[in-house]
Amino acid sequence: MHDIFAAGFFSSEPVHTALLVGAVIAITSAVVGVFTVTRGQSFAGHSLADISVTGGSGAILVGLNQFWGYLAFGAGVAAFMELIGIQRKRGRDVATGVVLGAALGLSALFLYLDTESSSTTGATVTVMFGAIWEITSSTVPALIVSAVLALFTVLALARPLLLSSLSPDIAAARGVPVRLIGAAFLMVLAISVALSAVIIGAILSTALLIGPAAAALRISKGPIKAMVTAAAIGTAATWLGILLSYDSHSWPPANSGGWPVSFFVVALVVLAYLATYISGWRRPAAQEAEQHSCSPA
Amino acid sequence: MTQDLVNLDHISVRLGGRQILSDVSLAINPAEFTGLIGPNGAGKTTLLRVILGLQQTTEGTVTRHATVGYVPQKLLIEPDMPLRVKDVVALGIDGQRLGFHLPSKQRRDRVDAMLEAVGAQAYKDARVGELSGGEQQRVMIAHALISKPKLLLLDEPLANLDISSAHSIVSLLAKLSKSEQIAILLSAHDMNPLLPVMDRIVYVAGGQVAVGTPDEVVQSDVLTRLYGQPVEVIRVRDRVLVVADA
């Protein structure tokens, strides 16, 4: 046991916080992710993540916790996307590209000013790749409340969201306010991206959003099973990532601060996704065998 | 006298400066099988959207006295959409409502019975994105009918189907219309597969309609007036061809 859990893992306060916040955020991201993939909005999720870099670096500049920056910019851009109708029409990619480019350019400036104005040089790493060990106890309630709110909203909207993914016209004919529900979902997506930016970083946050969902959608057919599977994969990757990062303090280079959590989480999520491909290869053969055995005797 | 399910009173629709429908009046009667026939781009989909309340009219009034089920044109469903056939049919019960519905035996039985009625039991656990066009149509019909509407609208359900699938969908609809007393309004650019089952025909051309029994409407003089150019109706081996004069 000593080898797997390095000394002090279970008694460390930052570990407790990381495990708790990590699980809550992983579950929310995974469930929101299932709907994101189903609605074909992975790109919107990624755009929100890029924009969050600007928000996070801007927040540090004015002395706020980066989470509020992620959230404010994510929500603002989500509203803008809804306004220009990015979810309904293709061909908005030029506008999106220009906006994203401008936002990342602004991030470069903010991050430069962040590192110039404070003695710490960690702002860039914190914003880009997350800082799960540095979650202050004062932000924990805000993180958990936001996550629970996003999760509750997406679960409440589950059926109308699925119905409008199936056919927006059927949903509208049955009285679903399709556009309003789409806008609400985009907000939930923004919150979810902001949350995972806190633990694995703004530019990696879609890994926790899309990865577990994409893997789950390959191995579970129904919506509820897909959500549960995605949540399990996301939580497992996050917890294992935290453990490995903690253990890596003793890894090379010597006297390092440990390998980044975000590296481990993303690597584990990708492994889970690849694993579903391996199990997917075997499935068609099994089905064929079943059909043959059903042939009349 | 029975009440109309839907009544369109002198409706017109303009979209983006184009006149799509002009001065269309029609009523749908209970348990009738009506074919909405016309060439592509004639305004069939717009007419269905008007009845559903998805399309505002520029003029005229629409009155609905019945619940309406809807099967849109071929859906583009990716195979990775996490909806099995039985999930899609269950969404037909209360998919517009907030929150989750816990699984119950009563719901499962209701979904099973509906799948049985449309002959889709065999693939109820398959993802809907993995089905063929004909199988998807059956599932979407089950989805639309499980809430027990009095009128079912179908937009080009026979397009992209091979002849035998088209035939089995038409006989399924005719059977359900009689057994469940459901009025059916089905759009198609080819009336021939529907001729054995149609009670009435709504023929759309150039944004206007001719309404009546197939024998009344599918006549050279009626369609010539509707198209505004000489057309001829030719009957060959129980098939009807509408041919524009050269």
Side-chain angles (χ1 to χ4, degrees):
Chain A
M1 281 311 257
H2 244 340
D3 294 329
I4 300 169
F5 299 101
F9 182 78
F10 290 107
S11 56
S12 155
E13 186 65 35
V15 169
H16 292 167
T17 306
L19 290 176
L20 171 69
V21 173
V24 173
I25 290 177
I27 291 168
T28 301
S29 282
V31 173
V32 172
V34 167
F35 289 92
T36 309
V37 175
T38 303
R39 293 170 63 79
Q41 292 191 315
S42 306
F43 184 70
H46 197 81
S47 308
L48 288 170
D50 281 358
I51 298 281
S52 296
V53 178
T54 321
S57 51
I60 292 178
L61 197 59
V62 296
L64 280 172
N65 187 286
Q66 66 270 27
F67 173 63
W68 301 114
Y70 300 144
L71 197 61
F73 269 62
V77 170
F80 175 72
M81 284 177 171
E82 170 58 28
L83 228 62
I84 67 167
I86 203 166
Q87 12 178 3
R88 282 179 304 282
K89 287 223 172 70
R90 286 178 172 277
R92 309 277 180 173
D93 49 347
V94 175
T96 310
V98 171
V99 172
L100 287 185
L104 285 174
L106 212 53
S107 308
L109 175 67
F110 287 171
L111 288 171
Y112 165 76
L113 294 175
D114 285 342
T115 39
E116 286 295 302
S117 64
S118 68
S119 52
T120 59
T121 53
T124 308
V125 174
T126 297
V127 170
M128 295 279 196
F129 304 114
I132 197 168
W133 301 122
E134 281 123 57
I135 295 172
T136 51
S137 55
S138 58
T139 44
V140 171
L143 295 176
I144 290 179
V145 167
S146 307
V148 170
L149 197 71
L151 187 63
F152 181 80
T153 308
V154 81
L155 289 178
L157 295 178
R159 282 187 292 180
L161 281 172
L162 289 172
L163 189 63
S164 43
S165 308
L166 186 67
S167 160
D169 278 349
I170 292 182
R174 300 193 64 159
V176 172
V178 176
R179 184 159 182 192
L180 188 66
I181 284 205
F185 180 74
L186 214 49
M187 279 299 156
V188 167
L189 186 58
I191 296 174
S192 179
V193 165
L195 287 166
S196 37
V198 172
I199 59 173
I200 61 167
I203 59 170
L204 292 179
S205 58
T206 39
L208 213 44
L209 180 78
I210 305 301
L217 287 171
R218 287 188 50 82
I219 52 176
S220 39
K221 284 185 167 176
I224 296 175
K225 231 179 183 174
M227 286 182 233
V228 173
T229 311
I233 294 173
T235 308
T238 305
W239 279 6
L240 262 176
I242 290 167
L243 173 64
L244 288 169
S245 172
Y246 188 84
D247 288 356
S248 69
H249 280 266
S250 57
W251 298 3
N255 303 321
S256 77
W259 293 24
V261 174
S262 46
F263 161 72
F264 290 114
V265 173
V266 172
L268 289 164
V269 165
V270 171
L271 277 180
Y273 184 65
L274 290 177
T276 63
Y277 267 91
I278 292 162
S279 67
W281 282 331
R282 286 168 40 194
R283 208 187 301 147
Q287 271 174 2
E288 214 171 303
E290 215 169 274
Q291 275 167 7
H292 281 299
S293 67
C294 285
S295 60
Chain B
M1 193 190 144
T2 52
Q3 197 184 26
D4 307 330
L5 299 176
V6 171
N7 205 313
L8 303 188
D9 190 19
H10 298 286
I11 63 128
S12 295
V13 175
R14 282 183 76 81
L15 272 177
R18 263 187 71 215
Q19 191 76 30
I20 311 290
L21 295 171
S22 17
D23 199 25
V24 170
S25 294
L26 80 102
I28 311 266
N29 306 315
E32 245 182 14
F33 197 121
T34 307
L36 179 60
I37 310 297
N40 290 330
K44 302 192 294 292
T45 298
T46 306
L47 191 53
L48 291 178
R49 292 175 63 84
V50 165
I51 295 173
L52 282 165
L54 295 176
Q55 176 63 55
Q56 294 289 315
T57 57
T58 326
E59 281 163 63
T61 52
V62 181
T63 325
R64 268 184 302 272
H65 300 290
T67 49
V68 183
Y70 179 43
V71 177
Q73 281 196 41
K74 186 170 166 43
L75 303 171
L76 297 167
I77 304 172
E78 300 287 332
D80 69 352
M81 187 179 282
L83 290 173
R84 291 159 300 185
V85 165
K86 57 185 180 189
D87 301 319
V88 169
V89 177
L91 277 177
I93 301 176
D94 48 14
Q96 75 279 17
R97 302 258 294 274
L98 294 180
F100 264 106
H101 203 293
L102 292 175
S104 75
K105 180 162 172 11
Q106 196 197 346
R107 275 171 76 87
R108 261 200 312 278
D109 289 348
R110 196 171 157 192
V111 168
D112 281 343
M114 197 63 240
L115 285 167
E116 189 79 54
V118 301
Q121 269 285 11
Y123 37 87
K124 70 170 184 176
D125 290 315
R127 277 206 184 155
V128 69
E130 293 165 346
L131 303 181
S132 73
E135 290 169 339
Q136 260 184 26
Q137 284 297 344
R138 283 175 191 269
V139 174
M140 294 316 292
I141 290 168
H143 167 91
L145 288 186
I146 198 164
S147 56
K148 299 194 181 302
K150 284 281 138 209
L151 168 62
L152 179 62
L153 306 186
L154 302 101
D155 196 358
E156 293 277 3
L158 309 181
N160 308 315
L161 294 192
D162 59 77
I163 293 172
S164 74
S165 311
H167 179 76
S168 63
I169 293 288
V170 169
S171 24
L172 169 68
L173 290 170
K175 192 186 83 186
L176 290 170
S177 172
K178 292 284 169 291
S179 65
E180 310 294 317
Q181 291 293 295
I182 302 165
I184 288 179
L185 178 63
L186 179 159
S187 78
H189 52 268
D190 179 11
M191 73 181 91
N192 283 296
L194 302 170
L195 284 174
V197 299
M198 263 191 299
D199 299 309
R200 280 205 315 159
I201 192 166
V202 176
Y203 204 108
V204 196
Q208 293 185 305
V209 299
V211 185
T213 65
D215 284 339
E216 289 165 2
V217 173
V218 188
Q219 298 292 344
S220 296
D221 57 334
V222 175
L223 295 187
T224 293
R225 233 176 296 137
L226 189 62
Y227 275 97
Q229 65 176 52
V231 295
E232 199 170 336
V233 173
I234 305 170
R235 288 165 210 272
V236 202
R237 291 191 183 180
D238 297 335
R239 288 179 62 84
V240 174
L241 302 176
V242 178
V243 186
D245 275 8

Short mmCIF file of all heavy atoms in Angstrom, two decimals, chain B residues 95-130:
data_model
loop_
_atom_site.label_atom_id
_atom_site.label_comp_id
_atom_site.label_asym_id
_atom_site.label_seq_id
_atom_site.Cartn_x
_atom_site.Cartn_y
_atom_site.Cartn_z
N GLY B 95 -41.50 13.81 -23.49
CA GLY B 95 -40.16 14.38 -23.74
C GLY B 95 -40.07 15.87 -23.57
O GLY B 95 -38.98 16.42 -23.44
N GLN B 96 -41.22 16.55 -23.56
CA GLN B 96 -41.19 18.01 -23.43
C GLN B 96 -41.11 18.44 -21.97
O GLN B 96 -40.89 19.61 -21.68
CB GLN B 96 -42.42 18.63 -24.10
CG GLN B 96 -43.74 18.49 -23.36
CD GLN B 96 -44.39 17.12 -23.56
OE1 GLN B 96 -43.76 16.17 -23.98
NE2 GLN B 96 -45.68 17.03 -23.26
N ARG B 97 -41.26 17.47 -21.03
CA ARG B 97 -41.33 17.83 -19.61
C ARG B 97 -39.94 17.93 -19.00
O ARG B 97 -39.00 17.30 -19.44
CB ARG B 97 -42.13 16.77 -18.86
CG ARG B 97 -43.55 16.60 -19.41
CD ARG B 97 -44.56 17.27 -18.55
NE ARG B 97 -44.64 16.65 -17.24
CZ ARG B 97 -45.41 15.60 -16.98
NH1 ARG B 97 -46.14 15.06 -17.92
NH2 ARG B 97 -45.45 15.10 -15.77
N LEU B 98 -39.84 18.71 -17.93
CA LEU B 98 -38.58 18.86 -17.21
C LEU B 98 -38.36 17.65 -16.31
O LEU B 98 -39.30 16.95 -15.94
CB LEU B 98 -38.60 20.12 -16.36
CG LEU B 98 -38.66 21.45 -17.12
CD1 LEU B 98 -38.66 22.61 -16.14
CD2 LEU B 98 -37.51 21.58 -18.09
N GLY B 99 -37.11 17.42 -15.97
CA GLY B 99 -36.78 16.37 -15.03
C GLY B 99 -36.76 14.99 -15.65
O GLY B 99 -37.02 14.82 -16.83
N PHE B 100 -36.42 14.03 -14.83
CA PHE B 100 -36.33 12.65 -15.28
C PHE B 100 -37.60 11.90 -14.93
O PHE B 100 -38.28 12.24 -13.98
CB PHE B 100 -35.17 11.94 -14.60
CG PHE B 100 -33.93 11.94 -15.43
CD1 PHE B 100 -32.87 12.76 -15.12
CD2 PHE B 100 -33.85 11.11 -16.54
CE1 PHE B 100 -31.73 12.75 -15.90
CE2 PHE B 100 -32.71 11.09 -17.31
CZ PHE B 100 -31.65 11.91 -16.99
N HIS B 101 -37.88 10.85 -15.67
CA HIS B 101 -38.93 9.95 -15.24
C HIS B 101 -38.28 8.65 -14.84
O HIS B 101 -37.50 8.08 -15.59
CB HIS B 101 -39.93 9.71 -16.37
CG HIS B 101 -41.26 9.27 -15.86
ND1 HIS B 101 -41.44 8.06 -15.25
CD2 HIS B 101 -42.46 9.89 -15.83
CE1 HIS B 101 -42.70 7.95 -14.88
NE2 HIS B 101 -43.34 9.05 -15.22
N LEU B 102 -38.56 8.21 -13.62
CA LEU B 102 -37.97 6.96 -13.19
C LEU B 102 -38.57 5.82 -13.99
O LEU B 102 -39.75 5.86 -14.35
CB LEU B 102 -38.22 6.75 -11.69
CG LEU B 102 -37.48 7.75 -10.80
CD1 LEU B 102 -37.89 7.56 -9.35
CD2 LEU B 102 -35.98 7.59 -10.95
N PRO B 103 -37.77 4.81 -14.30
CA PRO B 103 -38.30 3.68 -15.07
C PRO B 103 -39.43 3.02 -14.28
O PRO B 103 -39.35 2.89 -13.07
CB PRO B 103 -37.10 2.74 -15.17
CG PRO B 103 -35.91 3.53 -14.79
CD PRO B 103 -36.37 4.65 -13.93
N SER B 104 -40.50 2.64 -14.97
CA SER B 104 -41.58 1.92 -14.30
C SER B 104 -42.11 0.87 -15.24
O SER B 104 -41.98 0.98 -16.46
CB SER B 104 -42.70 2.88 -13.88
OG SER B 104 -43.44 3.25 -15.02
N LYS B 105 -42.71 -0.16 -14.68
CA LYS B 105 -43.21 -1.25 -15.50
C LYS B 105 -44.32 -0.76 -16.42
O LYS B 105 -44.40 -1.14 -17.59
CB LYS B 105 -43.74 -2.38 -14.59
CG LYS B 105 -44.28 -3.56 -15.39
CD LYS B 105 -44.39 -4.80 -14.55
CE LYS B 105 -45.09 -5.95 -15.25
NZ LYS B 105 -45.34 -5.86 -16.66
N GLN B 106 -45.13 0.16 -15.90
CA GLN B 106 -46.24 0.68 -16.69
C GLN B 106 -45.74 1.37 -17.95
O GLN B 106 -46.27 1.18 -19.05
CB GLN B 106 -47.04 1.65 -15.82
CG GLN B 106 -48.41 1.96 -16.35
CD GLN B 106 -48.98 3.22 -15.71
OE1 GLN B 106 -48.48 3.71 -14.72
NE2 GLN B 106 -50.03 3.75 -16.31
N ARG B 107 -44.67 2.19 -17.78
CA ARG B 107 -44.10 2.88 -18.95
C ARG B 107 -43.49 1.89 -19.91
O ARG B 107 -43.65 2.00 -21.13
CB ARG B 107 -43.01 3.87 -18.50
CG ARG B 107 -43.53 5.21 -18.08
CD ARG B 107 -42.43 6.02 -17.46
NE ARG B 107 -41.50 6.57 -18.46
CZ ARG B 107 -41.70 7.72 -19.07
NH1 ARG B 107 -42.77 8.44 -18.83
NH2 ARG B 107 -40.83 8.18 -19.94
N ARG B 108 -42.75 0.92 -19.36
CA ARG B 108 -42.11 -0.08 -20.23
C ARG B 108 -43.15 -0.82 -21.05
O ARG B 108 -42.99 -1.04 -22.24
CB ARG B 108 -41.31 -1.07 -19.38
CG ARG B 108 -39.82 -0.77 -19.33
CD ARG B 108 -39.01 -1.99 -18.91
NE ARG B 108 -39.53 -2.68 -17.74
CZ ARG B 108 -39.29 -2.29 -16.49
NH1 ARG B 108 -38.55 -1.23 -16.25
NH2 ARG B 108 -39.78 -2.98 -15.48
N ASP B 109 -44.26 -1.20 -20.38
CA ASP B 109 -45.32 -1.93 -21.09
C ASP B 109 -45.93 -1.08 -22.18
O ASP B 109 -46.22 -1.56 -23.27
CB ASP B 109 -46.41 -2.37 -20.10
CG ASP B 109 -45.91 -3.48 -19.18
OD1 ASP B 109 -44.83 -4.03 -19.48
OD2 ASP B 109 -46.59 -3.78 -18.18
N ARG B 110 -46.11 0.21 -21.87
CA ARG B 110 -46.72 1.10 -22.85
C ARG B 110 -45.82 1.24 -24.08
O ARG B 110 -46.28 1.20 -25.22
CB ARG B 110 -46.95 2.47 -22.20
CG ARG B 110 -47.89 3.35 -22.96
CD ARG B 110 -48.23 4.57 -22.14
NE ARG B 110 -48.66 5.64 -23.03
CZ ARG B 110 -48.80 6.90 -22.65
NH1 ARG B 110 -48.54 7.25 -21.40
NH2 ARG B 110 -49.20 7.81 -23.51
N VAL B 111 -44.50 1.38 -23.83
CA VAL B 111 -43.54 1.50 -24.93
C VAL B 111 -43.51 0.19 -25.73
O VAL B 111 -43.53 0.20 -26.96
CB VAL B 111 -42.13 1.84 -24.38
CG1 VAL B 111 -41.06 1.68 -25.46
CG2 VAL B 111 -42.12 3.26 -23.84
N ASP B 112 -43.50 -0.94 -25.01
CA ASP B 112 -43.47 -2.25 -25.69
C ASP B 112 -44.69 -2.42 -26.58
O ASP B 112 -44.58 -2.89 -27.72
CB ASP B 112 -43.41 -3.38 -24.67
CG ASP B 112 -41.99 -3.58 -24.14
OD1 ASP B 112 -41.05 -3.07 -24.79
OD2 ASP B 112 -41.82 -4.23 -23.10
N ALA B 113 -45.86 -2.05 -26.05
CA ALA B 113 -47.09 -2.21 -26.82
C ALA B 113 -47.04 -1.37 -28.09
O ALA B 113 -47.46 -1.81 -29.17
CB ALA B 113 -48.30 -1.83 -25.97
N MET B 114 -46.51 -0.15 -27.95
CA MET B 114 -46.41 0.74 -29.12
C MET B 114 -45.44 0.17 -30.15
O MET B 114 -45.72 0.19 -31.36
CB MET B 114 -45.93 2.11 -28.64
CG MET B 114 -46.16 3.25 -29.62
SD MET B 114 -47.90 3.56 -29.95
CE MET B 114 -47.93 3.26 -31.71
N LEU B 115 -44.30 -0.35 -29.68
CA LEU B 115 -43.32 -0.93 -30.60
C LEU B 115 -43.90 -2.14 -31.31
O LEU B 115 -43.66 -2.37 -32.50
CB LEU B 115 -42.05 -1.32 -29.83
CG LEU B 115 -41.17 -0.14 -29.42
CD1 LEU B 115 -40.12 -0.57 -28.40
CD2 LEU B 115 -40.50 0.46 -30.64
N GLU B 116 -44.69 -2.91 -30.57
CA GLU B 116 -45.38 -4.07 -31.16
C GLU B 116 -46.30 -3.60 -32.28
O GLU B 116 -46.31 -4.17 -33.38
CB GLU B 116 -46.20 -4.75 -30.05
CG GLU B 116 -46.80 -6.08 -30.43
CD GLU B 116 -45.76 -7.20 -30.36
OE1 GLU B 116 -45.13 -7.35 -29.30
OE2 GLU B 116 -45.59 -7.90 -31.38
N ALA B 117 -47.04 -2.52 -32.00
CA ALA B 117 -48.03 -2.04 -32.97
C ALA B 117 -47.39 -1.58 -34.29
O ALA B 117 -48.00 -1.70 -35.34
CB ALA B 117 -48.85 -0.89 -32.36
N VAL B 118 -46.16 -1.06 -34.22
CA VAL B 118 -45.51 -0.62 -35.45
C VAL B 118 -44.51 -1.65 -35.98
O VAL B 118 -43.83 -1.41 -36.97
CB VAL B 118 -44.79 0.75 -35.29
CG1 VAL B 118 -45.76 1.82 -34.86
CG2 VAL B 118 -43.63 0.63 -34.32
N GLY B 119 -44.41 -2.78 -35.28
CA GLY B 119 -43.52 -3.84 -35.75
C GLY B 119 -42.05 -3.51 -35.58
O GLY B 119 -41.23 -3.85 -36.43
N ALA B 120 -41.71 -2.83 -34.47
CA ALA B 120 -40.32 -2.45 -34.26
C ALA B 120 -39.73 -3.12 -33.02
O ALA B 120 -38.68 -2.72 -32.52
CB ALA B 120 -40.19 -0.93 -34.14
N GLN B 121 -40.41 -4.14 -32.51
CA GLN B 121 -39.96 -4.83 -31.30
C GLN B 121 -38.54 -5.40 -31.44
O GLN B 121 -37.76 -5.35 -30.51
CB GLN B 121 -40.92 -6.00 -30.99
CG GLN B 121 -42.06 -5.64 -30.08
CD GLN B 121 -41.62 -5.50 -28.64
OE1 GLN B 121 -40.44 -5.47 -28.33
NE2 GLN B 121 -42.58 -5.37 -27.75
N ALA B 122 -38.25 -5.92 -32.65
CA ALA B 122 -37.00 -6.66 -32.84
C ALA B 122 -35.77 -5.81 -32.56
O ALA B 122 -34.75 -6.33 -32.16
CB ALA B 122 -36.95 -7.22 -34.26
N TYR B 123 -35.86 -4.50 -32.79
CA TYR B 123 -34.67 -3.67 -32.61
C TYR B 123 -34.87 -2.60 -31.53
O TYR B 123 -34.30 -1.52 -31.60
CB TYR B 123 -34.23 -3.04 -33.93
CG TYR B 123 -35.33 -2.60 -34.87
CD1 TYR B 123 -35.89 -1.34 -34.75
CD2 TYR B 123 -35.78 -3.44 -35.88
CE1 TYR B 123 -36.90 -0.93 -35.61
CE2 TYR B 123 -36.79 -3.04 -36.75
CZ TYR B 123 -37.34 -1.79 -36.60
OH TYR B 123 -38.34 -1.39 -37.45
N LYS B 124 -35.64 -2.92 -30.49
CA LYS B 124 -35.94 -1.89 -29.49
C LYS B 124 -34.73 -1.48 -28.67
O LYS B 124 -34.70 -0.40 -28.09
CB LYS B 124 -37.07 -2.35 -28.58
CG LYS B 124 -36.71 -3.46 -27.63
CD LYS B 124 -37.84 -3.64 -26.62
CE LYS B 124 -37.45 -4.69 -25.58
NZ LYS B 124 -38.48 -4.81 -24.55
N ASP B 125 -33.69 -2.34 -28.60
CA ASP B 125 -32.50 -1.98 -27.83
C ASP B 125 -31.39 -1.39 -28.69
O ASP B 125 -30.32 -1.08 -28.18
CB ASP B 125 -31.98 -3.21 -27.09
CG ASP B 125 -32.92 -3.61 -25.97
OD1 ASP B 125 -33.35 -2.71 -25.22
OD2 ASP B 125 -33.25 -4.81 -25.86
N ALA B 126 -31.63 -1.28 -30.00
CA ALA B 126 -30.60 -0.71 -30.88
C ALA B 126 -30.63 0.81 -30.79
O ALA B 126 -31.68 1.41 -30.50
CB ALA B 126 -30.85 -1.16 -32.31
N ARG B 127 -29.49 1.43 -31.04
CA ARG B 127 -29.48 2.89 -31.13
C ARG B 127 -30.20 3.31 -32.40
O ARG B 127 -30.01 2.72 -33.46
CB ARG B 127 -28.05 3.40 -31.17
CG ARG B 127 -27.46 3.50 -29.79
CD ARG B 127 -26.37 4.53 -29.79
NE ARG B 127 -25.74 4.56 -28.48
CZ ARG B 127 -24.50 4.98 -28.29
NH1 ARG B 127 -23.78 5.37 -29.32
NH2 ARG B 127 -23.99 5.00 -27.09
N VAL B 128 -30.96 4.38 -32.29
CA VAL B 128 -31.81 4.79 -33.41
C VAL B 128 -30.96 5.24 -34.60
O VAL B 128 -31.35 5.08 -35.75
CB VAL B 128 -32.83 5.86 -32.95
CG1 VAL B 128 -32.16 7.16 -32.61
CG2 VAL B 128 -33.91 6.05 -33.97
N GLY B 129 -29.75 5.76 -34.33
CA GLY B 129 -28.86 6.19 -35.40
C GLY B 129 -28.28 5.05 -36.22
O GLY B 129 -27.70 5.28 -37.27
N GLU B 130 -28.44 3.82 -35.74
CA GLU B 130 -27.87 2.67 -36.45
C GLU B 130 -28.90 1.99 -37.34
O GLU B 130 -28.58 1.01 -38.01
CB GLU B 130 -27.33 1.64 -35.44
CG GLU B 130 -26.14 2.14 -34.64
CD GLU B 130 -25.83 1.30 -33.42
OE1 GLU B 130 -26.68 0.48 -33.00
OE2 GLU B 130 -24.73 1.47 -32.87
#
